[in-house]
Amino acid sequence: MKKILVANRGEIALRIMKTVKKMGIKTVAIYSTADRESPHVTYADEAVCVGEPLSSESYLLGDNIIKIAKELHVDAIHPGYGFLSENADFVEKVEANNIIFIGPTSEAIKIMGSKIAAKEAVKHYNIPMVPGTKEAITNVEEATLIAKKIGFPVLIKASAGGGGKGMRIVKNDHEFESQMSRAISEATHAFGDGSVFIEKYIASPRHIEIQIMADSLGHTVHLFERECSIQRRHQKVIEEAPSSILTPALREKMGEAAIKVAKACKYIGAGTVEFLLDENNTFYFLEMNTRLQVEHPVTEYITGLDLVELQIKIARGESLNLIQADLKIKGHAFELRVYAEDPLNNFFPSIGKLQVYKIPEGKNIRVDNGVSEGADVSIYYDPLLAKLITYGPTREAAILTMVKAIDAYKIEGICTTLRFGKFVFQNAAFREGNFDTNFVNIYYEPSILQKQAEKEARLAALIALKQYYTDLKQVRLPNS
């Protein structure tokens, strides 16, 4: 494997390329006209424009990407996450053109890409699942009867996707029809498939996911868990590894379940099995993400492994050379997703120019970055600018490093989730590990951040004023 094309953009494209170059392999970047000056483009050995700013006219043009790969004699394609990473048709075309796809087989993606098919595949392994429909459904009347049988509240979820799209919590039968219609419409728009399924809504769960890695020789291991319970709009903002709530026995049990899920679809490569953990520490299989996860750096910190390097080696047909007994958790890590969003305005996207952009540096601080100072943050793509990751020998040490890193991160020109992140890491319930996926609803109030912002602005003004008078005193006037 001498050349790899990274079929993605931003921070994940740059992160992948760094490992690829470390392995002595050439890199190819693709970019839209809006990303012409992006860091991943300038970092790559070769870069090719793949189309206009809209994803549908650039990063989602699978045939065009394959054509570029063939013209540049690329050996393999790494999809990153999002875009075409879980598109089985794209994977089949890559393989048909004798290019290696750094990820699972198209068949595994098909099975786990549908939540209904995924549950069908793992049902023989006695893995607990949330009560719900066994098949996808679009008929509202039929779905209403099923929901009443399951018992409210219920959760309507798009069968073909994730990321909170096509998802609705329904508390009673009076609002069920309207909520289902909205879910179907949103799922159709986002994934081209309006089918949904209905399951019992677990009111206060913790979101726990298990990282697995499997080679083509039949070896599968899990790389422990990540907790992803701090979410807004059912999308993750802060992740950590390991979870503060799992006991060694529960960790082992969930890890074994994740391996069974992977084997159910003959999985190859890096994947994540997601579970919900209820207040009684009973876990339920949620879904499997057949790709590298946004939050993979926290796993890399606590295991000392480079997950992208493992992906590439597995794609080359190499053995994992790992057994479960060899893997140990070392320390604690957090990740804060630095989104271009306004936490004072319901996390709405924030666009504009990055007038100031300085990332923090130091021991146990890692920034997976995808932008640079002076860049324009547009509406065309996911608002994720970068990921701030910190590590420590203990959970408390990792939190302290995170707060210092947030303070050192300087961004002007747009709003970001940095301020929200600081609020979370300073929250007593979070620091004590006493939280679930309802954290934002229970603890977060935008007015708190507003007061903090005003206090910091006043302090900055006082410091600037003091410096002004200090400088003034040092100026010697003529004939004085």
Side-chain angles (χ1 to χ4, degrees):
M1 197 179 288
K2 297 179 180 179
K3 188 184 291 188
I4 293 175
L5 182 150
V6 180
N8 218 296
R9 64 177 298 279
E11 58 83 20
I12 186 57
L14 190 58
R15 183 268 168 273
I16 292 167
M17 288 178 189
K18 287 180 178 179
T19 289
V20 173
K21 283 198 174 186
K22 182 182 71 175
M23 297 176 71
I25 303 171
K26 296 291 185 181
T27 58
V28 176
I30 58 170
Y31 62 93
S32 71
T33 52
D35 281 338
R36 190 177 301 276
E37 304 299 326
S38 294
H40 80 280
V41 177
T42 56
Y43 184 84
D45 295 301
E46 298 176 80
V48 180
C49 183
V50 76
E52 298 302 311
L54 287 174
S55 299
S56 59
E57 298 175 6
S58 53
Y59 296 105
L60 290 175
L61 296 177
D63 291 341
N64 196 16
I65 293 170
I66 292 172
K67 180 174 180 288
I68 292 169
K70 292 179 70 176
E71 289 174 350
L72 296 182
H73 305 291
V74 164
D75 301 299
I77 293 176
H78 195 306
Y81 43 68
F83 293 138
L84 297 168
S85 62
E86 295 178 284
N87 187 310
D89 292 337
F90 174 68
V91 177
E92 287 180 345
K93 290 179 179 179
V94 170
E95 295 168 341
N97 281 277
N98 296 315
I99 301 171
I100 298 170
F101 181 77
I102 302 176
T105 64
S106 57
E107 186 61 29
I109 292 175
K110 286 179 182 177
I111 294 172
M112 290 301 163
S114 165
K115 294 177 177 61
I116 299 296
K119 289 187 174 184
E120 182 67 23
V122 304
K123 71 178 184 180
H124 305 293
Y125 290 86
N126 296 318
I127 297 171
M129 288 184 276
V130 180
T133 53
K134 296 181 179 179
E135 297 178 351
I137 189 169
T138 55
N139 185 289
V140 177
E141 293 181 359
E142 184 181 349
T144 304
L145 293 175
I146 293 171
K148 288 180 179 179
K149 185 176 180 181
I150 294 172
F152 291 96
V154 298
L155 189 64
I156 302 173
K157 299 174 69 174
S159 176
K165 296 181 177 66
M167 183 182 292
R168 291 288 186 279
I169 299 169
V170 187
K171 298 178 180 179
N172 55 63
D173 58 347
H174 301 298
E175 60 182 32
F176 184 83
E177 183 174 342
S178 62
Q179 292 286 51
M180 182 164 175
S181 296
R182 291 175 184 173
I184 290 173
S185 175
E186 191 171 316
T188 302
H189 178 74
F191 313 114
D193 181 353
S195 59
V196 299
F197 69 97
I198 303 160
E199 65 184 25
K200 182 68 178 175
Y201 176 63
I202 300 175
S204 300
R206 294 180 75 136
H207 189 139
I208 308 291
E209 61 186 30
I210 308 292
Q211 175 71 57
I212 65 98
M213 194 69 71
D215 64 25
S216 58
L217 305 175
H219 307 127
T220 305
V221 297
H222 71 81
L223 305 181
F224 311 111
E225 81 279 0
R226 297 184 288 258
E227 173 144 9
C228 312
S229 296
I230 306 299
Q231 306 176 2
R232 47 82 179 110
R233 296 194 300 272
H234 305 292
Q235 293 178 309
K236 305 164 188 173
V237 185
I238 293 172
E239 301 96 352
E240 67 178 294
S243 168
S244 62
I245 197 173
L246 261 61
T247 62
L250 184 55
R251 177 174 294 116
E252 182 178 357
K253 192 173 182 180
M254 293 182 74
E256 290 173 352
I259 289 174
K260 289 178 180 178
V261 171
K263 291 187 174 181
C265 64
K266 299 178 181 178
Y267 198 81
I268 297 173
T272 302
V273 183
E274 304 202 2
F275 297 97
L276 292 181
L277 186 71
D278 70 15
E279 56 191 11
N280 299 313
N281 282 348
T282 300
F283 64 88
Y284 301 91
F285 170 66
L286 186 61
E287 62 183 349
M288 183 178 190
N289 290 306
T290 55
R291 52 172 166 77
L292 195 67
Q293 290 280 88
V294 176
E295 56 272 22
H296 76 274
V298 293
T299 297
E300 294 184 322
Y301 254 137
I302 68 164
T303 61
L305 298 170
D306 184 327
L307 268 61
V308 174
E309 183 177 353
L310 289 177
Q311 282 186 297
I312 294 169
K313 288 181 176 180
I314 288 169
R316 293 195 302 207
E318 297 178 28
S319 171
L320 264 176
N321 288 325
L322 291 172
I323 60 172
Q324 198 64 53
D326 292 336
L327 296 166
K328 307 293 181 185
I329 295 174
K330 300 174 184 176
H332 206 100
F334 287 98
E335 175 179 290
L336 168 63
R337 301 189 188 190
V338 184
Y339 284 114
E341 294 179 344
D342 185 357
L344 297 178
N345 187 23
N346 198 32
F347 295 95
F348 280 9
S350 178
I351 61 174
K353 184 180 289 291
L354 289 171
Q355 297 168 357
V356 174
Y357 190 78
K358 307 294 183 186
I359 64 175
E361 297 178 347
K363 184 179 180 182
N364 294 333
I365 296 173
R366 166 177 166 177
V367 181
D368 283 12
N369 181 46
V371 295
S372 58
E373 191 169 279
D376 288 316
V377 178
S378 71
I379 60 172
Y380 294 115
Y381 312 114
D382 185 277
L384 183 63
L385 303 177
K387 301 177 309 197
L388 175 59
I389 310 106
T390 61
Y391 173 80
T394 64
R395 187 172 188 268
E396 181 61 26
I399 288 176
L400 292 174
T401 301
M402 176 61 79
V403 173
K404 291 178 182 177
I406 291 172
D407 286 340
Y409 213 135
K410 304 302 180 185
I411 300 178
E412 294 180 14
I414 62 167
C415 300
T416 73
T417 49
L418 282 172
R419 193 179 295 276
F420 169 76
K422 186 174 180 179
F423 165 81
V424 175
F425 285 104
Q426 291 183 326
N427 177 271
F430 180 81
R431 293 177 83 111
E432 294 166 5
N434 183 25
F435 62 93
D436 55 42
T437 52
N438 289 310
F439 178 91
V440 170
N441 294 331
I442 296 171
Y443 295 105
Y444 177 61
E445 175 54 53
S447 62
I448 297 175
L449 289 195
Q450 185 64 51
K451 290 178 182 177
Q452 288 179 345
E454 291 171 356
K455 183 179 179 181
E456 290 174 6
R458 286 196 298 270
L459 181 60
L462 288 172
I463 293 172
L465 188 61
K466 182 180 179 181
Q467 186 63 48
Y468 169 77
Y469 282 116
T470 300
D471 294 342
L472 197 61
K473 289 178 182 179
Q474 295 175 349
V475 175
R476 290 183 177 271
L477 296 176
N479 302 320
S480 61

